[in-house]
Amino acid sequence: MFDWYFGAPRRALALICVACIAMLAFGMYLQHVVGLEPCPMCVVQRYALVLVAVFTGLGAASGSKALRIATILTALVVAVGGAYTAASQSWLQWYPPEVVSCGRDIYGMIETFPLQRALPMIFRGAGDCSQIDWTFLGLSIANWSFIAFTGFGLALLVLLARSFRRPPIRPALKTVR
């Protein structure tokens, strides 16, 4: 199983891309069918999923080893950022602030404040970032997002390490005359 997945890096990247697209589709389902509105930290995680999907999709489509390594590295950085955001939101959910103030949405923050002030506000989260609206097996969306980003990151790390590994030298077959 391990060799089937990591033995073909393009296949592994394509599967990560498909998993990201499936997670985004499920997020859209929760938003538009179930009626859950995403908080600012959820939106950042969605952007991270989109970027991981784009870079892994480019890596899967690329025939160039150098481009594939670059896309793996970029997707890994984005996956770490997504995991950090999901971990921050999980922390807010486990230890909610005493004073809950529902702040502006992410677009209002970006339009009103300069980016250097808006980013800390987004990662601090608003009152609704600490609210748990949906769970599966006792874990919130942020918890599952953290698990997914961590899994993507670990898979990308293995792919990156295997990209720099030299192929084994096979002895030449002796021909019998």
Side-chain angles (χ1 to χ4, degrees):
M1 174 72 179
F2 191 76
D3 283 336
W4 180 85
Y5 185 74
F6 291 109
R10 292 173 72 181
R11 179 185 312 145
L13 291 171
L15 288 173
I16 293 171
C17 179
V18 168
C20 288
I21 291 169
M23 288 177 65
L24 287 165
F26 185 68
M28 293 292 119
Y29 166 80
L30 288 176
Q31 180 178 355
H32 296 290
V33 176
V34 178
L36 301 179
E37 285 300 316
C39 70
M41 294 177 95
C42 294
V43 172
V44 170
Q45 291 169 57
R46 283 187 185 179
Y47 285 139
L49 275 174
V50 168
L51 289 174
V52 170
V54 166
F55 289 120
T56 55
L58 284 173
S62 168
S64 165
K65 183 177 179 179
L67 182 60
R68 190 167 47 248
I69 289 172
T71 57
I72 290 171
L73 189 58
T74 309
L76 176 61
V77 169
V78 174
V80 167
Y84 174 78
T85 306
S88 298
Q89 185 176 5
S90 295
W91 182 266
L92 277 174
Q93 290 174 348
W94 291 330
Y95 304 104
E98 290 182 23
V99 178
V100 177
S101 64
C102 292
R104 303 173 189 252
D105 64 346
I106 190 169
Y107 304 109
M109 285 186 222
I110 292 174
E111 288 175 359
T112 307
F113 300 105
L115 194 57
Q116 63 265 22
R117 281 194 59 205
L119 280 178
M121 294 168 127
I122 292 168
F123 284 105
R124 192 174 327 118
D128 58 350
C129 287
S130 62
Q131 185 177 354
I132 299 175
D133 294 326
W134 183 88
T135 60
F136 179 68
L137 298 177
L139 298 175
S140 69
I141 297 171
N143 302 144
W144 285 110
S145 182
F146 175 76
I147 291 169
F149 278 120
T150 303
F152 296 153
L154 291 174
L156 291 165
L157 265 176
V158 171
L159 286 172
L160 191 62
R162 285 186 153 225
S163 295
F164 289 113
R165 195 179 78 181
R166 290 185 178 190
I169 299 172
R170 296 184 178 157
L173 296 174
K174 294 183 181 179
T175 58
V176 180
R177 293 184 184 182

